[in-house]
Amino acid sequence: MLLWLVFAQASKAQQILYSNAEELAEGRGDTVTTLRVERRTLNQLYLIGGGDYRIEAPQNRSLCRYLRKRCYAVRIDTALYVNCRKMRYQRYRLGGWYAPAFEIGGHIYYTAQPVGQAATETLTPDDKQKLGGQVGDAIQASGLVEQRVFYELDLQTGRSAFVGKERMRKLLAGHPELLEEFEQETSEAAEVIGKYLHRIK
């Protein structure tokens, strides 16, 4: 009886696929009922990188292919996931699979591996020698597989920006107490930035 109730609840979960940023902004997408979400292992992240979650339709190969390559975002009940394959930060791609996300004021905030010099510098100690160029970026990023930072997705342009201290100061400008607390922080990692983003949702 308990298993039947669990299955019944799972089957009622609202699952919506968005094919582009415009659909996500407008909240219109295609409803399905066969999706499965699983968190990717650390080994998988080290081997091929990408987002923290795999979303699949186990009994539908064509839908699985669509989810991997063409789907822009997926909403399952209140949880939102964006396809890292579709996300860009500057000229860098964020890999495949899905990252957890939420919305604040028309922007989508999601966590992913830091890429590019601008993002990786925030998590690299000041006394550690940094290499320049794309090779340096790749070497630094390889040591940051377990690290996460926040990106802000503008649904009007489809572009992502790194959420660091400067962006957070702007977001917290109308919350002086939070801003004062934030100024004491020394990290731009997702666990720090996320703490303040969730408090202004």
Side-chain angles (χ1 to χ4, degrees), residues 165-183:
K165 284 198 168 183
E166 290 305 314
R167 180 56 181 153
M168 282 305 302
R169 287 186 180 109
K170 292 179 181 178
L171 291 170
L172 295 174
H175 307 270
E177 292 183 2
L178 284 180
L179 179 58
E180 183 178 354
E181 183 181 337
F182 177 73
E183 293 292 1

Side-chain angles (χ1 to χ4, degrees), residues 22-85:
E22 183 180 349
E23 285 190 1
L24 180 57
E26 295 175 359
R28 58 178 173 85
D30 297 316
T31 301
V32 297
T33 59
T34 60
L35 302 184
R36 181 182 69 193
V37 180
E38 68 176 44
R39 189 172 182 90
R40 299 176 66 222
T41 67
L42 190 55
N43 283 342
Q44 290 170 333
L45 291 171
Y46 269 107
L47 287 172
I48 55 176
D52 290 327
Y53 291 89
R54 180 195 308 268
I55 301 179
E56 294 182 313
Q59 306 302 319
N60 190 327
R61 291 182 65 184
S62 62
L63 183 53
C64 279
R65 194 178 311 115
Y66 172 81
L67 285 163
R68 285 197 308 273
K69 298 184 176 181
R70 296 179 55 202
C71 187
Y72 192 81
V74 176
R75 187 181 303 277
I76 300 177
D77 286 338
T78 58
L80 178 66
Y81 305 88
V82 294
N83 190 347
C84 287
R85 188 184 182 100

Side-chain angles (χ1 to χ4, degrees), residues 60-123:
N60 190 327
R61 291 182 65 184
S62 62
L63 183 53
C64 279
R65 194 178 311 115
Y66 172 81
L67 285 163
R68 285 197 308 273
K69 298 184 176 181
R70 296 179 55 202
C71 187
Y72 192 81
V74 176
R75 187 181 303 277
I76 300 177
D77 286 338
T78 58
L80 178 66
Y81 305 88
V82 294
N83 190 347
C84 287
R85 188 184 182 100
K86 299 291 184 179
M87 302 297 114
R88 301 285 186 277
Y89 167 61
Q90 296 178 347
R91 66 183 186 276
Y92 297 93
R93 297 186 178 195
L94 297 176
W97 304 112
Y98 286 80
F102 55 87
E103 184 177 358
I104 301 176
H107 290 81
I108 301 295
Y109 294 87
Y110 64 95
T111 57
Q113 183 178 332
V115 294
Q117 197 72 31
T120 56
E121 277 185 353
T122 66
L123 295 172

Side-chain angles (χ1 to χ4, degrees), residues 1-10:
M1 183 66 172
L2 180 60
L3 288 175
W4 181 85
L5 287 172
V6 170
F7 177 79
Q9 285 297 109

